[in-house]
Amino acid sequence: MIRLIALLILLLPGILAVYGIKLMRDMVFGILQSPFPYLWLQFFSGFLFLIIGLGFIAGFILYRDRKRNKVQDRFKTK
């Protein structure tokens, strides 16, 4: 049950990161999505979505590995 909850917690930021990549790709090809009035705004929103999604996933994995003592010395909390 705990693994299912962890999967759901990681699934939403993962979807957010994928959507961010899609927005940035669409900007490169000149495809404007509906909620964004400008291509540059679409790109920066996509970049922000990507950073937030990947940051959450990376933080989650780092937290889990710290609990299990599987990180290098420089990542351990003091």
Side-chain angles (χ1 to χ4, degrees):
M1 185 67 178
I2 292 174
R3 289 181 189 240
L4 181 63
I5 293 171
L7 177 67
L8 290 176
I9 289 173
L10 289 178
L11 190 63
L12 294 175
I15 291 171
L16 186 69
V18 168
Y19 185 65
I21 291 171
K22 179 198 176 306
L23 287 176
M24 291 189 298
R25 184 197 65 193
D26 286 348
M27 184 283 217
V28 169
F29 292 118
I31 302 169
L32 188 62
Q33 297 296 326
S34 64
F36 301 104
Y38 306 109
L39 284 174
W40 60 268
L41 182 62
Q42 177 177 322
F43 179 81
F44 286 121
S45 299
F47 185 72
L48 184 67
F49 290 165
L50 177 66
I51 295 300
I52 290 171
L54 286 181
F56 185 86
I57 291 170
F60 185 85
I61 292 171
L62 181 64
Y63 175 76
R64 184 194 65 183
D65 287 348
R66 277 184 185 162
K67 283 189 350 184
R68 296 179 183 179
N69 260 346
K70 293 186 177 185
V71 294
Q72 295 179 357
D73 290 335
R74 64 180 176 167
F75 293 117
K76 291 183 180 179
T77 56
K78 295 176 173 119

